[in-house]
Amino acid sequence: MKHLLITFSLALLAGQAVADDVLVNNPEPVQSDTITRVADIEEIVVVATPKENARLRQQTLSSSSFSNAEIRARGVTSIKSFTAQVPNLYIPAYGSKLTSSTYIRGIGSRINTPAVGLYVDNIPYLNKNAFDFNFAEIDRVDVLRGPQGTLYGRNTMGGLIRVYTKSPFDYQGTDLQLSAATYNDLKASVSHYQRISDQFAFSAGLYFDHQGGFFKNVARNNERVDKGNEYGGRIRAIYLPADNTKLDFNVNYEYLDQGAYPYQYMGVTADNKAGEQMPELIGKVGYNRKADYKRHLLNTGLSLEHQANRFVFSSVTGFQFVKDDMNMDQDYTPLDIFSLRQKQNSKTLSQEFAFKSKAGSRWEWTTGLSGFYQWLKTDAPVTFQADGISQLVEGPANNVFIRLRQQNERMPEMSLDITDNDFVISGLFDTPTANFAVFHQSTINDLGVEGLSLTLGARMEYEKVWIDYSSAAPLNFDFNIPMLAQNPRTAAVAEQLKGMHINPDFTGKLNDNNWEFLPKAALKYEFNPRNNIYFSVSKGYRSGGYNIQMFSDLMQEKLTNEMMAMINEKSGGMMSKMGGSAMAVEDNPTYDVEGTIAYKPERSWNFELGSHLTSNDGNLMADFALFLINTNNQQLAQFANSGMGRVTVNAGRSRSMGAEASIRWQATEALSFTGNYGYTYATFREYQLGDVDNRGKYVPFVPKHTFMLGGQYVFAMRQSSFIDNIVLNADYRGAGRIYWDVQNEYSQKFYGTLNARLAFQHKGSELALWANNIFDKDYDTFFFVNRNNKFRQKGTPVQLGVDLRLRF
């Protein structure tokens, strides 16, 4: 690390020395396609969008776009890297790529269905466990804020992220990229782009990513918790059978083997000082069982676009396969309490047809229909180990018997003894989903006044979800009553209470369906093609579903009932008579499975006033927006009552309001600045949690402020120099305050990190030195309380690295 720091410092000094020479002797900078310039990205990087008729900054929405050069300059390696680089966008690293929770304007999701949509080359990615994919060969990224339900449907109520890979018609040759960084991070990728003819072009690439890991697990010989390997490849082929027709095929596969969940123990809660306090572990990762995440991810799609005389027809067919396997030490401590394994097998087939008018007409319209079917099978057993059996099964039962003796001295001494070495609650779940929608949106331009336009749209969407569940918990146990065993007349009864076996289970099927109407209306006034102001109203929704983790809570209740029933049966009713109501058993108890595991759809209304402004010379671009979002049945994540996994609950009503501002300024030919600020005030208007009224509390996991300020300076070299340009980028990114719980007891105050990159460019090739979190800011990306123990996930420390990109 010291050598990299010295190299980085010398490079900065050398860059300044060269800059001084350039400013004196070569005032005219050399242009390069690798330099990031402040410009309307859509004038440079043109991509096909099946639904929109206009460029993003001409639409009635807030958006941010990033070119390939900007993605490299800002050190973006996944969608999580865009945190704070977009106003009010927060995508924290929650322990593994299984969870890519995305929050925009106070709308987001920790688990289950996402609140922000993701499309890659116009193919929808429906599951969050596929969001964090490898960013090799990415050409452009758009982030649309606010509900996009009219055109994109379910689970886009917070916004939409669109990712586009490089087109082999636009890029030619071979790219080789190598990267090395502190903490033993290594990356490599190679991509080839070939235009065979005017009708056919293809690209193929391979990539590898090794992460050495930032954090050590002191309970497992200081092994790196978050180390991992990822490798895969992408193929894309574009065929133009006619001047007005395009076929675009792509396939991407990657495999991930990742260590996971670097959660540091931070002591017990204030009201539980007598709990599992482990002072020697505070501030360290220390759990005894290995935690990891493995994933196979396959995405493939076929897009057809046909340009007719008066309209454009698009067909987009997508298929996604995700097979993953997650192991988690669920108590996150050296104690052997319980662990969770979750294996998922998901296959999704999607299809969309869209017709849209040619751009530039007075009446611009888009109409279409879409649908998908998803197969999802989950195997999620929870295993109690020795400490867990003692603390969570035997302990609570034996505490009841102790209290009975304290209340009645005539009660005999009793104890429960689980005879299994471990205890497994199995869980097999089949949860397919079917979805169908029809949508239309029209825009009337020059509505009575030149520059005034009205947009009206609506979407009708139907969704049905099924669950076929099977969960069981076989258990062997003894019930000990020394008084019975010592009395010859009752010794037989005591013997009957040995070696008992129960097998409570839940098996059945449920289904639910929902119709949703998603309207949109917007007014826009254009002062000229580059400057406008708009007001929009739109509805968003996130689909409901089933919490498979809640079967552990149901099973605990059924386990207790069947255990008591078995004890009473073997004792001939003696225990019921002795224990009274505490040992009573309900005849034919019923369990509300649907009421326990189901959660409702979330719905919102978004009101937005915004403006897109560009100076006459195009060197200054600014975007502003004010928004108000009213949400009903907001979906929140919390730990199940049993502590075995997180579940989604509905939180009544909430309100999110705030503001956004983004600025891009080309101050001189060499110097440019970018900046953005987002403010979100998201609070509950109605949320009763037990006896606690949480009205007025801040919605958890949502940063109140996001901020980014960055600059770039291009040192243009002499024509005779081997180096074309030296480019220095630096930015400061911040977010906070972030509340981690509904009661707002724990939070992360506003924090920021300073990042820099120095690149030496030559004819498309580049050598770059970079540093992230230069001042090694200590902050939390996640914090939670589980079973009265506090845990944090620390943000990544200072890291230095070097990137080499060669173009042939």
Side-chain angles (χ1 to χ4, degrees):
M1 181 172 178
K2 291 181 179 179
H3 295 301
L4 271 175
L5 183 59
I6 293 171
T7 303
F8 191 80
S9 302
L10 290 174
L12 285 173
L13 294 173
Q16 185 59 53
V18 172
D20 293 339
D21 184 62
V22 169
L23 290 175
V24 173
N25 301 302
N26 187 23
E28 295 297 326
V30 179
Q31 297 291 332
S32 171
D33 61 356
T34 60
I35 298 175
T36 304
R37 296 290 186 188
V38 169
D40 186 344
I41 292 175
E42 292 181 297
E43 295 177 355
I44 302 171
V45 183
V46 180
V47 297
T49 56
K51 304 172 188 177
E52 288 81 7
N53 300 92
R55 294 175 178 174
L56 277 176
R57 298 187 76 246
Q58 295 175 331
Q59 297 178 37
T60 55
L61 54 82
S62 300
S63 62
S64 302
S65 295
F66 302 87
S67 67
N68 175 263
E70 285 181 303
I71 290 170
R72 291 200 315 275
R74 297 184 184 216
V76 172
T77 57
S78 72
I79 64 168
K80 293 177 179 177
S81 302
F82 287 110
T83 289
Q85 298 198 53
V86 174
N88 288 319
L89 175 66
Y90 182 62
I91 315 176
Y94 279 162
S96 79
K97 291 192 175 186
L98 171 66
T99 306
S100 297
S101 303
T102 307
Y103 303 88
I104 295 180
R105 296 179 172 180
I107 303 296
S109 174
R110 274 277 297 119
I111 60 172
N112 292 332
T113 53
V116 176
L118 174 67
Y119 278 63
V120 180
D121 288 333
N122 299 317
I123 306 297
Y125 283 29
L126 299 178
N127 295 338
K128 292 202 302 297
N129 61 343
F131 275 28
D132 195 352
F133 63 95
N134 193 285
F135 250 46
E137 304 181 54
I138 300 303
D139 190 36
R140 170 178 162 177
V141 176
D142 300 332
V143 181
L144 286 59
R145 301 183 294 280
Q148 306 300 318
T150 302
L151 292 182
Y152 293 92
R154 72 194 290 271
N155 303 343
T156 59
M157 62 183 300
L160 178 71
I161 300 175
R162 301 190 306 204
V163 179
Y164 301 96
T165 60
K166 293 180 180 179
S167 167
F169 270 102
D170 298 331
Y171 291 84
Q172 298 297 301
T174 301
D175 278 6
L176 174 64
Q177 299 187 57
L178 302 171
S179 177
T182 52
Y183 294 95
N184 296 318
D185 281 8
L186 299 170
K187 295 181 182 180
S189 68
V190 59
S191 305
H192 180 72
Y193 305 87
Q194 183 73 46
R195 184 169 181 167
I196 304 299
S197 66
D198 291 340
Q199 287 77 41
F200 182 74
F202 77 94
S203 63
L206 296 172
Y207 49 82
F208 171 76
D209 186 353
H210 170 75
Q211 297 177 340
F214 295 101
F215 306 104
K216 297 178 180 179
N217 187 343
V218 298
R220 291 181 59 85
N221 298 320
N222 286 320
E223 71 176 6
R224 295 286 177 176
V225 181
D226 51 337
K227 64 183 179 181
N229 293 301
E230 180 180 42
Y231 53 85
R234 180 179 284 113
I235 297 174
R236 186 175 182 185
I238 300 177
Y239 175 54
L240 309 176
D243 292 340
N244 61 349
T245 305
K246 180 177 74 171
L247 287 169
D248 189 344
F249 171 77
N250 64 77
V251 59
N252 176 54
Y253 169 78
E254 61 183 60
Y255 175 72
L256 170 71
D257 185 354
Q258 174 190 38
Y261 311 110
Y263 298 152
Q264 297 177 351
Y265 175 77
M266 301 304 293
V268 299
T269 57
D271 58 350
N272 189 48
K273 294 181 180 179
E276 299 164 356
Q277 184 72 284
M278 292 169 276
E280 73 283 356
L281 197 61
I282 291 179
K284 301 176 182 178
V285 180
Y287 48 81
N288 61 305
R289 290 187 174 268
K290 185 178 181 180
D292 59 15
Y293 178 62
K294 297 179 175 65
R295 181 186 68 186
H296 296 270
L297 175 62
L298 173 69
N299 293 284
T300 183
L302 176 63
S303 300
L304 166 67
E305 180 181 293
H306 177 73
Q307 301 266 354
N309 291 332
R310 296 185 178 180
F311 64 87
V312 179
F313 167 72
S314 298
S315 169
V316 180
T317 306
F319 177 77
Q320 183 176 83
F321 170 72
V322 185
K323 183 179 180 182
D324 63 6
D325 187 353
M326 180 269 291
N327 286 284
M328 180 188 293
D329 188 334
Q330 190 71 37
D331 57 272
Y332 316 113
T333 70
L335 301 175
D336 218 7
I337 298 179
F338 61 104
S339 59
L340 171 67
R341 184 174 189 182
Q342 177 180 282
K343 295 190 292 184
Q344 296 182 108
N345 189 313
S346 171
K347 293 179 277 292
T348 305
L349 181 64
S350 62
Q351 176 63 55
E352 182 170 75
F353 300 104
F355 296 84
K356 69 177 181 180
S357 61
K358 294 293 184 72
S361 59
R362 187 167 183 268
W363 175 35
E364 297 177 337
W365 53 267
T366 298
T367 192
L369 54 89
S370 66
F372 73 83
Y373 189 88
Q374 182 179 78
W375 298 262
L376 175 59
K377 295 182 182 294
T378 306
D379 182 3
V382 177
T383 303
F384 291 80
Q385 283 86 29
D387 293 329
I389 291 174
S390 173
Q391 294 184 19
L392 302 179
V393 184
E394 294 176 342
N398 290 329
N399 287 336
V400 171
F401 304 142
I402 292 172
R403 288 196 299 270
L404 285 174
R405 290 200 70 198
Q406 292 172 345
Q407 296 168 7
N408 184 357
E409 295 180 355
R410 300 182 62 183
M411 284 288 295
E413 181 182 345
M414 297 176 288
S415 65
L416 176 70
D417 180 21
I418 306 301
T419 57
D420 296 310
N421 293 326
D422 52 39
F423 165 48
V424 179
I425 300 178
S426 65
L428 294 172
F429 309 99
D430 188 1
T431 52
T433 303
N435 178 283
F436 174 79
V438 57
F439 58 89
H440 179 84
Q441 181 170 295
S442 285
T443 298
I444 307 298
N445 296 309
D446 299 329
L447 188 67
V449 178
E450 184 178 357
L452 181 65
S453 64
L454 172 66
T455 298
L456 296 173
R459 183 185 189 96
M460 181 61 74
E461 185 159 302
Y462 172 78
E463 181 161 308
K464 185 169 184 177
V465 59
W466 296 263
I467 181 169
D468 187 342
Y469 57 87
S470 176
S471 180
L475 182 67
N476 296 294
F477 65 99
D478 294 339
F479 192 66
N480 303 308
I481 307 178
M483 184 185 72
L484 295 182
Q486 294 166 6
N487 188 333
R489 291 182 298 175
T490 57
V493 176
E495 191 63 27
Q496 287 286 330
L497 297 175
K498 301 285 188 180
M500 290 184 286
H501 174 78
I502 57 174
N503 188 18
D505 70 300
F506 287 97
T507 304
K509 297 181 180 180
L510 294 170
N511 67 81
D512 193 16
N513 62 83
N514 180 65
W515 284 95
E516 202 67 38
F517 180 65
L518 300 173
K520 176 184 178 180
L523 274 174
K524 181 183 71 170
Y525 180 72
E526 281 192 348
F527 305 99
N528 55 54
R530 286 189 168 190
N531 296 274
N532 59 66
I533 186 172
Y534 66 88
F535 176 75
S536 67
V537 181
S538 56
K539 183 183 178 183
Y541 104 102
R542 180 155 39 135
S543 56
Y546 298 109
N547 288 303
I548 61 175
Q549 296 90 344
M550 285 300 293
F551 278 95
S552 294
D553 283 24
L554 286 167
M555 190 60 72
Q556 281 195 335
E557 181 182 353
K558 193 170 188 178
L559 189 72
T560 301
N561 288 336
E562 292 200 9
M563 190 180 294
M564 291 299 185
M566 178 63 71
I567 292 172
N568 276 305
E569 177 187 341
K570 294 295 185 180
S571 68
M574 181 183 300
M575 297 313 304
S576 180
K577 295 176 184 178
M578 294 171 57
S581 61
M583 298 290 289
V585 179
E586 181 182 352
D587 293 332
N588 300 317
T590 59
Y591 303 92
D592 184 10
V593 175
E594 184 170 13
T596 302
I597 70 173
Y599 58 91
K600 301 175 184 177
E602 177 182 351
R603 299 177 176 89
S604 69
W605 281 97
N606 183 86
F607 304 86
E608 182 173 331
L609 175 65
S611 180
H612 304 296
L613 303 173
T614 305
S615 62
N616 291 333
D617 59 8
N619 288 332
L620 179 63
M621 295 191 301
D623 299 299
F624 304 96
L626 300 172
F627 63 87
L628 170 66
I629 305 174
N630 290 321
T631 304
N632 291 324
N633 290 323
Q634 181 159 9
Q635 295 174 12
L636 295 175
Q638 68 179 39
F639 273 99
N641 295 330
S642 62
M644 289 175 281
R646 294 178 177 89
V647 297
T648 297
V649 298
N650 294 103
R653 297 183 299 148
S654 66
R655 171 175 288 174
S656 178
M657 51 188 177
E660 298 168 348
S662 298
I663 295 177
R664 292 172 176 244
W665 179 34
Q666 190 75 46
T668 68
E669 186 67 25
L671 180 64
S672 61
F673 295 98
T674 58
N676 69 68
Y677 170 71
Y679 172 75
T680 297
Y681 185 78
T683 57
F684 294 113
R685 301 184 66 199
E686 178 185 322
Y687 185 24
Q688 190 77 23
L689 187 60
D691 297 330
V692 180
D693 187 353
N694 293 293
R695 281 181 297 179
K697 299 291 187 180
Y698 290 98
V699 176
F701 307 117
V702 176
K704 196 172 184 179
H705 306 274
T706 59
F707 175 79
M708 192 278 287
L709 179 63
Q712 175 182 273
Y713 197 90
V714 180
F715 307 108
M717 308 302 292
R718 297 186 182 92
Q719 295 289 344
S720 59
S721 174
F722 176 77
I723 298 176
D724 297 332
N725 300 287
I726 300 176
V727 183
L728 175 64
N729 287 88
D731 66 64
Y732 178 85
R733 308 170 196 171
R737 177 176 295 263
I738 306 169
Y739 290 94
W740 302 118
D741 62 318
V742 171
Q743 289 77 29
N744 295 174
E745 184 177 357
Y746 305 102
S747 65
Q748 166 64 56
K749 64 182 180 180
F750 183 89
Y751 68 91
T753 63
L754 181 65
N755 315 280
R757 187 175 188 268
L758 182 67
F760 303 86
Q761 300 175 344
H762 170 69
K763 294 182 179 180
S765 297
E766 182 179 81
L767 175 67
L769 306 174
W770 53 265
N772 291 333
N773 193 7
I774 292 174
F775 295 119
D776 200 20
K777 179 66 177 179
D778 185 14
Y779 64 95
D780 293 346
T781 60
F782 187 37
F783 182 96
F784 63 96
V785 176
N786 183 24
R787 301 182 62 251
N788 296 316
N789 291 314
K790 298 183 294 185
F791 299 91
R792 73 179 291 213
Q793 182 176 335
K794 183 181 177 180
T796 54
V798 58
Q799 187 177 31
L800 308 178
V802 56
D803 297 337
L804 175 63
R805 178 184 183 227
L806 301 174
R807 295 193 68 182
F808 305 99

